[in-house]
Amino acid sequence: MPLVDLEIIGQGSPQVSDQPVVTARSRGLVACTRCTRVWPMGQDFCSRCGSALVSRHTRSLQRVWAWWAMGLICYVPANIYPMLRTRTLFMTDESTIIGGAVEIARHGSFGVAAIILIASVLIPVGKFIAIAYLALSLRRKVSMSSHARHKLYEVVEFIGRWSMIDVFVVAILSSLVQLSAVASINPGPAAITFALSVIFTMLAALSFDPRMIWDNPEESHP
Amino acid sequence: MVTVSAKIRESSASLVPEAELIACPQCDALYHAVPPRPGERALCTRCHTVLIQPRKGAGLRVIALAVSVMILMLGATFFPFLQVRVAGLHNASSVFDAALAFVDGPMVALSVAVAALIVLIPVLRAFLVVYVLAPVVFDRSPWPGAIAAFRLSETLKPWSMAEIFVIGVAVALVKISDLARVDYGPAFWMFAALVVVITIQDGYMCRWSIWKSLDKEARK
């Protein structure tokens, strides 16, 4: 089968094509995922950029699950323990992630409460589900097409970093609001577990080899 | 809108030298690497990942933008970022202070991580890009370690979180707006500009062209 041409576009969006493509693997080549150069199968390192060459990271799933589990374990205390300790003259207030968002919503800032809930609850939980689904979908038949699953992977990879918002908010508040006895804000233990959870799930997404999504031919064109 | 749809090419992979092939890192589709004209993009027909994206004079522009990232970050890190006023008390905080917010107690690691994510990694990436591109733009052979430097810069890409920090600032402002009066310091605007510059710089970088220009064999 001959090679397909690259799709060249000036402006505008790409066309959806269901044309079958030739893969590097089917030609006995291994692609460098860093610099896109191809090499004969069996070469271990890319001679251009020095990255390790693997046709498919078949064992990468173990790594994905390991990071995924670490992320999930860290996510539990991140929701139970307080994220912020606010001390004012008369009281000390400890708020968790969800508690803090509810507090903001009660003050009428629904937009900001929504940002926090989306970044700290919806995105992490969605990410756990999405990564697990993608990893499981490689082993069994699923109804979602390869195109849709690849889109899901791209979304997970792009959006995962944004969960760090809450950690940065805690960092900003704790450095800014240090006004001796009147008011001070300090980070709670959840800040560190939440940051770890975000980092671990990012590593899980980065360990996933998206090329495996496309490997099963009858699934890629349902 | 110029859209040239994909058409089957007569050439067979076995006839094309490996150096002229390109494989999509996302879906392993193999193509004959034909660079598009400047301003156009070459996409993977299957998963629409942008594979080649040459721009006229991109190298020099990327260097200029990377240098401005370094300068802006220097200012943005140490000038006051936000100022807070409560009952006559006043406190100003820089990005540097924010990064060091967790220094007390067991959270030092988090402080290091925050400093890395919002200051060190963006600056390091800018520096690496200048190091890699400066000789290439002036048609010299790459400086030693350029390949490792660009690889590191690419690896660090998802960990550069300056833009997320800016949104974090907006959220933080609302959170304390009824506790205290908050004003922006000069560094806030520097940081906002920084995020825009980083985004433009990334848009100008064509990874394929850069790797090609670093290719030792191709340069011989």
Side-chain angles (χ1 to χ4, degrees):
Chain A
M1 200 177 116
L3 291 186
V4 173
D5 264 358
L6 281 163
E7 185 172 357
I8 310 282
I9 62 167
Q11 268 104 43
S13 45
Q15 292 183 328
V16 178
S17 102
D18 260 343
Q19 202 172 7
V21 297
V22 177
T23 62
R25 176 144 87 165
S26 69
R27 289 292 167 111
L29 297 168
V30 54
C32 174
T33 50
R34 173 72 71 220
C35 75
T36 65
R37 179 85 155 77
V38 294
W39 301 97
M41 196 70 91
Q43 189 165 332
D44 291 330
F45 288 95
C46 175
S47 305
R48 177 154 78 176
C49 73
S51 304
L53 295 175
V54 190
S55 183
R56 294 294 180 277
H57 282 282
T58 39
R59 261 179 299 170
S60 75
L61 275 188
Q62 290 179 19
R63 223 174 307 159
V64 172
W65 283 117
W67 290 125
W68 183 90
M70 292 282 284
L72 194 61
I73 289 167
C74 290
Y75 189 63
V76 175
N79 277 289
I80 296 172
Y81 289 104
M83 193 85 169
L84 277 179
R85 288 206 174 94
T86 312
R87 253 182 341 99
T88 54
L89 271 183
F90 317 103
M91 53 150 201
T92 304
D93 178 44
E94 296 196 329
S95 66
T96 57
I97 294 172
I98 296 176
V102 170
E103 188 74 10
I104 289 178
R106 205 175 288 156
H107 286 292
S109 304
F110 293 105
V112 175
I115 289 179
I116 295 177
L117 280 180
I118 289 169
S120 318
V121 182
L122 203 66
I123 291 179
V125 171
K127 229 180 128 171
F128 286 124
I129 297 170
I131 294 174
Y133 175 79
L134 287 172
L136 290 173
S137 75
L138 298 178
R139 293 283 159 84
R140 59 201 75 185
K141 257 186 130 64
V142 287
S143 54
M144 217 165 156
S145 71
S146 296
H147 283 279
R149 280 184 290 147
H150 185 249
K151 191 105 270 161
L152 180 67
Y153 173 74
E154 281 184 327
V155 170
V156 164
E157 218 193 0
F158 173 80
I159 221 166
R161 321 155 57 229
W162 287 91
S163 298
M164 279 305 249
I165 285 182
D166 228 22
V167 176
F168 293 151
V169 169
V170 173
I172 296 160
L173 291 180
S174 336
S175 68
L176 188 62
V177 186
Q178 293 296 342
L179 302 160
S180 57
V182 178
S184 74
I185 293 180
N186 287 305
I192 196 156
T193 51
F194 188 76
L196 284 175
S197 172
V198 176
I199 289 170
F200 288 145
T201 43
M202 277 178 71
L203 288 168
L206 290 171
S207 310
F208 189 82
D209 187 349
R211 293 176 296 185
M212 293 197 287
I213 292 175
W214 301 93
D215 274 346
N216 206 335
E218 67 259 11
E219 274 177 21
S220 62
H221 302 289
Chain B
M1 195 151 70
V2 194
T3 306
V4 185
S5 62
K7 57 181 187 291
I8 307 273
R9 201 184 163 81
E10 293 303 313
S11 66
S12 147
S14 51
L15 300 175
V16 181
E18 274 155 27
E20 286 171 30
L21 293 173
I22 183 171
C24 174
Q26 294 282 318
C27 76
D28 211 31
L30 191 65
Y31 301 97
H32 188 178
V34 185
R37 286 191 300 270
E40 289 181 339
R41 295 174 296 164
L43 274 66
C44 171
T45 52
R46 179 153 74 167
C47 69
H48 301 317
T49 302
V50 178
L51 297 176
I52 312 176
Q53 186 183 18
R55 297 268 188 106
K56 258 210 181 89
L60 213 52
R61 264 180 234 188
V62 169
I63 290 176
L65 291 168
V67 170
S68 38
V69 166
M70 289 191 269
I71 295 169
L72 279 171
M73 188 61 100
L74 195 70
T77 307
F78 295 105
F79 281 118
F81 191 74
L82 292 171
Q83 291 154 24
V84 63
R85 262 178 266 261
V86 184
L89 286 165
H90 172 262
N91 187 32
S93 158
S94 65
V95 175
F96 194 65
D97 296 327
L100 297 181
F102 304 109
V103 150
D104 310 326
M107 300 215 197
V108 184
L110 194 55
S111 240
V112 174
V114 169
L117 295 174
I118 60 182
V119 178
L120 301 180
I121 291 179
V123 169
L124 179 63
R125 282 196 72 220
F127 173 77
L128 290 173
V129 163
V130 172
Y131 184 84
V132 168
L133 287 184
V136 171
V137 165
F138 298 106
D139 280 328
R140 308 270 163 83
S141 55
W143 281 329
I147 288 170
F150 193 53
R151 211 172 56 220
L152 178 63
S153 160
E154 289 294 279
T155 309
L156 289 177
K157 198 181 173 200
W159 304 98
S160 166
M161 299 195 180
E163 71 274 31
I164 299 167
F165 184 72
V166 171
I167 305 292
V169 173
V171 175
L173 283 181
V174 177
K175 259 194 157 164
I176 48 169
S177 58
D178 49 50
L179 190 73
R181 235 198 89 195
V182 185
D183 299 311
Y184 298 104
F188 177 82
W189 303 109
M190 286 187 181
F191 217 87
L194 189 85
V195 169
V196 176
V197 173
I198 290 178
T199 313
I200 297 173
Q201 184 210 315
D202 265 338
Y204 268 112
M205 274 171 57
C206 172
R207 271 90 196 161
W208 184 80
S209 312
I210 296 174
W211 280 122
K212 206 172 152 74
S213 66
L214 294 176
D215 197 331
K216 281 183 221 118
E217 279 175 47
R219 298 187 65 86
K220 273 178 197 160

